[in-house]
Amino acid sequence: MIVKEDDGKMNSVTIYDVAREANVSMATVSRVVNGNPNVKPSTRKKVLDAIEKLGYRPNAVARGLASKKTTTVGVIIPDISSIFFAELARGIEDIATMYKYNIILSNSDQNQNKEIHLINTMLGKQVDGIVFMGGTITDEHIKEFKSAPVPVVLAATVDETNEIPSVNINYEQAAYEAAKELIEHGNKRIAIVSGPLDTVINEEKINGYKKALQESGIPVDENLLVKGDYTYQSGIDAVEHLLKLQKPPTAIFAASDEMALGVVHGIQDCGLSVPDDIEVVGFDNTRLATMVRPTLTTVVQPMYDIGAVSMRLLTKYMNNEEVTDQNVILPHRIVERDSTK
C-alpha cells in the first residue's frame, strides 16, 4: 500500500512505521504479522490497529530474505485461456491457499524458449517451488529442473525419464478404453484426431488407440490418423479431411474435448448425424462436453485433482515431508453421453 505524506511525496509504509505508531518494537510487529502466539492480546490489538490505520502490507520478498522462504509458488501453464488448464490452475490455487502459498501464474504459449525463460524468471523471483505444465520435456528442461534450487513438480505433463516428480493419468490406457468402446459398438473404421505429434502424452494416446484396434483384429489405416492441435478449428479441419476419404470413418476419437466439439460440428455441417452416422468420443471431460448437442461421451481426466495433487506434492517437497511416490497416476474413467450409441 502506498500512502501520501503531507509534503506530497509518495512513501511505502514499513514495519518501522507500524512499530512507531503502535509504540512497540519491530520484533513485536514481526511476531504479530507472522502469527506468533507469544504476544499479549492488548499488544496484538495495538499492532493490528496500527497496521489497519497505515495500510501496511507485509513484504513477502523482504520476509523471504530473512527466512529464506517467500511462501510463493511459480506456476507455468501453456495456455491460460484453455478450459483444461484453467481447471488445473484452479486445483493448484485452492491447495496453495490452504497451505498459505501465493501463486505467480505465467503463460508459456507452448514455446520451449519461453518455458525455459519463465523457469529462470520464476527462480529470479525467489519462488519456493514450481508447478510446470508443458508439452514436450526436453533434455534442456530436465537440466533446468534438476539444477533449480527449489523443487519442481510436473502437472499433466510426462517426463519420460521419470526423474522429475509428476501427476498424470494413464493416457495410453484411457485412449485404449475409448477406442475399445467404439469397437464394441460395432465400428471398424475408427479415426483418431490427435494432438501435436511431438508430445509424449499424444504418443501414448495414439499407442492406446492402435493397441485397441490391433487386439480386435482391425488393421490400422494411417489415413484415419489426423494430426490436430487441441483446438476447435483443428477438429473441423480433421472432419473435412476424413469425410473426403473413399471409405470415411463411422467413429472418431478426438484427443481433446475442444477438438471433439469441432468434430461434432464439422459432421453436422456436412448434413450428417452424431451419433447415427458417426460416433464421437472426446478426452478431458471439460465443461464443453455438456455444452454441445449431442452431449459428448468423453474420457474423464480429473483436471482439478491433477492440479490439486501436484500442488500438494510440491508442498511436501518444500516442507521436507516424506514422499512415497514421486510419479502419481490418478484414476480415469469414461462417461457415456449422447455422442455415442
Side-chain angles (χ1 to χ4, degrees), residues 180-194:
K180 199 76 173 171
E181 171 148 325
L182 291 169
I183 292 167
E184 288 169 359
H185 292 182
N187 295 290
K188 288 185 168 44
R189 296 280 296 166
I190 301 171
I192 180 171
V193 184
S194 75

Side-chain angles (χ1 to χ4, degrees), residues 125-146:
K125 292 182 185 296
Q126 297 183 321
V127 296
D128 294 335
I130 294 174
V131 178
F132 181 88
M133 287 163 263
T136 303
I137 300 299
T138 65
D139 291 341
E140 189 175 357
H141 284 93
I142 299 292
K143 180 183 170 188
E144 291 289 339
F145 294 149
K146 293 179 80 172

Side-chain angles (χ1 to χ4, degrees), residues 37-59:
N38 298 320
V39 180
K40 287 196 302 185
S42 59
T43 304
R44 184 184 304 279
K45 184 177 186 310
K46 274 203 303 182
V47 172
L48 293 175
D49 287 346
I51 286 172
E52 186 176 354
K53 178 181 176 182
L54 297 177
Y56 172 67
R57 293 289 180 272
N59 186 321

